[in-house]
Amino acid sequence: MNVLLLGSGGREHALAWKLAQSPRLGKFFAAPGNPGIAEHAALVDLDAADHRAVVDFCRKNGIGLVVIGPEAPLVDGLADNLRTMGYAVFGPDKVPAQLEGSKGFTKDLCARCSIPTARYTRASDRLAAEAALGEFGLPVVIKADGLAAGKGVVVATTEEEAQAALETMFDGGFGSAGSAVVIEEFLEGEEASFFALTDGTTIVPFGTAQDHKRVGDGDTGPNTGGMGAYSPAAIVTPEIAARVMAEIVEPTVRALAERGTPYSGVLYAGLMLTAEGPKLIEYNARFGDPECQVLMMRLESDLLDLIEAVARGRLAEAEAPRFSNEAAVTVVMAAKGYPGTPEAGGTIGGLDRAEAAGAKVFQAGTALREGALVAAGGRVLTVTGRGASVAEARDKAYAGVAAIDFPTGFSRSDIGWREIGRALPS
């Protein structure tokens, strides 16, 4: 089967690496890809925002399946147009993709379906938002309604921080994503990520992870798109996972199907595990980044078989996903300045040494310049290890980080700290 993968980040490199292991894979293309993805797929100059060009490429190259990695093309309706032209697509249509594209859409769905989540209000102008702040107290969570690359969330602990967040959002600090906001009560607990595959009817769990959003050690500093992750998240016990499916994921999929807009793809539920049970923080309409990297490192099933079953509405006929009992940890190496203005052009070396040390390096914001690998984004590399425990996987990942020569890069030194702390004798 000929496959087209859309995207250029570490998530897409991990997907390309796993898809390339399938014996059923025919010609494999990626757009725009990156130097790491080029090891597995032929890179093509194709803009996912140009839907007609994507359809034409699929027609000319006999594409049997399109895998849409990032969220923006999904929210833009690319999957709808490809499906209209008869192509199998992994990723939801435009309306169900609003689960990620609009936080207000998701919160309203939760309210209608009694899905456990934080109390909230929506505001489309600053005056209304300021008036609503008094209903919540401090700390309070303020979210840009639209897509903000994982950065449009502020946990304000003072009135000044709350006002500054509203000013940033309504003054265009997150582009059009901040033209409306969602204000939520602050939930106490520990965050975790839960993944499920669905074709709109059948739903199967697809692993757990825990991300590290803050830029600095000890979960300090501003939010980022993710500085590392580990899988599985043992804090999501089988009992909690069953509640997440029954109380959060299944009602969501059912509600979208009943309104005639079925969800097909991977559904990523960001959770807060509270004293009352799991509550939904937000949905993503695609694999997380860097969560995808740790999931792919543990996945033992043929990824192509699974996602084709999703895309063709045959998930009930597919073998359930199989994961290794081992753990995986990924550490993001970012360019200095991230999550603000990252320093571009820094040279990168030692990837072979990192892999010789037992890590797998997935490239994200990289480019080739005169034959040399250089930084070309905020998050540049995701260095991933696998082992019998989170601690062992972490050690392999950090051995890989130590082997890489990236003078203008940095990483957190404590990825997996919660899980490792829980495993230590008390």
Side-chain angles (χ1 to χ4, degrees):
M1 174 186 294
N2 295 347
V3 174
L4 171 63
L5 171 66
L6 297 176
S8 62
R11 168 184 49 231
E12 287 77 31
H13 188 182
L15 292 172
W17 172 75
K18 197 64 184 178
L19 286 168
Q21 297 171 26
S22 174
R24 297 182 52 240
L25 184 66
K27 293 181 179 178
F28 189 17
F29 303 94
N34 65 39
I37 295 172
E39 298 173 5
H40 310 290
L43 303 190
V44 292
D45 183 15
L46 193 60
D47 182 0
D50 188 341
H51 296 190
R52 176 170 292 183
V54 175
V55 170
D56 286 346
F57 179 88
C58 292
R59 177 176 53 82
K60 292 175 182 177
N61 292 276
I63 298 300
L65 175 67
V66 181
V67 181
I68 303 177
E71 62 274 22
L74 297 169
V75 174
D76 191 41
L78 176 59
D80 307 60
N81 288 334
L82 285 165
R83 287 190 174 101
T84 297
M85 299 305 294
Y87 292 101
V89 183
F90 182 76
D93 284 345
K94 182 174 185 175
V95 171
Q98 294 306 306
L99 285 178
E100 179 167 5
S102 169
K103 295 176 180 65
F105 175 94
T106 297
K107 299 295 285 191
D108 289 350
L109 184 148
C110 288
R112 291 195 303 272
C113 300
S114 300
I115 293 170
T117 189
R119 182 170 59 89
Y120 77 103
T121 190
R122 302 175 67 176
S124 56
D125 63 73
R126 187 171 175 180
L127 286 177
E130 289 175 344
L133 284 176
E135 303 173 18
F136 291 89
L138 295 169
V140 63
V141 181
I142 303 172
K143 299 179 177 180
D145 181 71
L147 297 177
K151 303 172 192 174
V153 178
V154 174
V155 179
T157 58
T158 67
E159 180 70 21
E160 292 74 20
E161 288 177 351
Q163 292 292 342
L166 293 178
E167 181 178 358
T168 297
M169 292 180 188
F170 284 113
D171 286 355
F174 296 105
S176 60
S179 60
V181 300
V182 171
I183 301 172
E184 296 182 357
E185 67 172 323
F186 177 78
L187 294 177
E188 295 278 0
E190 187 168 338
E191 293 187 37
S193 303
F194 183 92
F195 297 83
L197 298 179
T198 179
D199 57 10
T201 303
T202 301
I203 313 167
V204 297
F206 196 76
T208 61
Q210 189 173 82
D211 190 12
H212 298 62
K213 285 291 187 189
R214 300 281 187 171
V215 72
D217 284 2
D219 293 328
T220 57
N223 273 331
T224 71
M227 292 300 295
Y230 66 87
S231 176
I235 195 170
V236 184
T237 64
E239 293 76 17
I240 290 176
R243 288 190 63 179
V244 172
M245 285 289 285
E247 299 174 18
I248 298 176
V249 174
E250 290 172 359
T252 299
V253 173
R254 185 167 58 247
L256 290 170
E258 288 173 352
R259 64 177 284 172
T261 56
Y263 189 103
S264 175
V266 61
L267 187 57
Y268 163 7
L271 307 171
M272 184 68 77
L273 306 182
T274 74
E276 294 81 33
K279 295 187 178 184
L280 181 70
I281 301 173
E282 64 180 6
Y283 274 128
N284 288 334
R286 36 72 191 182
F287 286 110
D289 187 349
E291 295 92 338
C292 184
Q293 289 86 314
V294 288
L295 290 173
M296 292 304 113
M297 283 290 284
R298 296 183 55 238
L299 181 65
E300 295 181 337
S301 301
D302 186 314
L303 179 63
L304 180 56
D305 285 348
L306 279 169
I307 63 177
E308 184 192 11
V310 170
R312 298 192 185 280
R314 300 172 184 165
L315 187 56
E317 304 167 18
E319 180 184 348
R322 289 177 290 104
F323 287 91
S324 168
N325 290 326
E326 292 194 326
V329 171
T330 191
V331 178
V332 170
M333 299 187 74
K336 290 179 180 177
Y338 179 78
T341 302
E343 184 175 334
T347 58
I348 304 165
L351 270 57
D352 290 344
R353 293 194 301 272
E355 300 212 345
K360 175 63 186 173
V361 182
F362 295 113
Q363 297 184 36
T366 61
L368 288 175
R369 182 181 300 165
E370 298 179 354
L373 190 67
V374 300
R379 294 184 296 169
V380 180
L381 305 171
T382 48
V383 187
T384 310
R386 188 174 127 171
S389 65
V390 171
E392 183 178 314
R394 174 206 59 185
D395 290 347
K396 288 184 180 179
Y398 278 111
V401 170
I404 291 172
D405 181 20
F406 182 20
T408 61
F410 74 97
S411 63
R412 280 183 56 164
S413 65
D414 63 346
I415 302 303
W417 67 272
R418 288 188 185 87
E419 195 74 7
I420 292 166
R422 278 190 282 267
L424 294 174
S426 57

